[in-house]
Amino acid sequence: MKYAVFSLAFLTAGQVIAGGDISVSVENFTQEHRVAKAVLKVTNNLGKPANNVFVDCAFLNKEKKAVDVSSALIEKISTNDHAYDKASIVTDHDVQYIECRVAKFD
């Protein structure tokens, strides 16, 4: 079951661009012991360093309704580089999808 959930979460997350070329993708997803975790890869193709990159993620059930939200903060990503972080929630709900977006950056 965890592999099916991972596949669905990865496919729905995709890549999102906010105000330039900073993208976020879900690299891994697990849900165990009431904790749902998403490992995020954030890529900077702005042509300059990006600071204070805030990523918002919604954890969704099978009807694609939000169960909860979480955020991640990456302090600095060099030009043409990427960084990893994670977002997580504690829930009794079965999370099937994750949608993430870059909320803002400096």
Side-chain angles (χ1 to χ4, degrees), residues 30-93:
T30 58
Q31 185 171 10
E32 297 178 14
H33 308 291
R34 298 184 52 224
V35 178
K37 294 180 196 172
V39 176
L40 311 174
K41 179 179 180 181
V42 182
T43 304
N44 174 11
N45 292 312
L46 286 173
K48 63 179 184 174
N51 298 306
N52 300 316
V53 180
F54 287 88
V55 178
D56 293 331
C57 294
F59 291 74
L60 313 171
N61 63 16
K62 66 182 178 181
E63 289 85 26
K64 294 191 177 179
K65 294 192 181 212
V67 170
D68 204 348
V69 295
S70 183
S71 297
L73 168 63
I74 298 174
E75 292 183 17
K76 184 173 183 175
I77 308 173
S78 299
T79 306
N80 300 319
D81 202 0
H82 59 270
Y84 293 92
D85 203 348
K86 67 181 167 183
S88 62
I89 62 168
V90 177
T91 184
D92 290 325
H93 297 280

Side-chain angles (χ1 to χ4, degrees), residues 14-24 43 45-46 100-103 105:
Q15 291 189 344
V16 178
I17 298 173
D21 288 314
I22 294 184
S23 62
V24 60
T43 304
N45 292 312
L46 286 173
C100 297
R101 67 179 183 94
V102 175
F105 59 91

Side-chain angles (χ1 to χ4, degrees), residues 8-16 24-27 97-100:
L8 291 171
F10 181 77
L11 291 174
T12 60
Q15 291 189 344
V16 178
V24 60
S25 61
V26 177
E27 293 284 304
Y97 304 93
I98 300 171
E99 294 181 3
C100 297

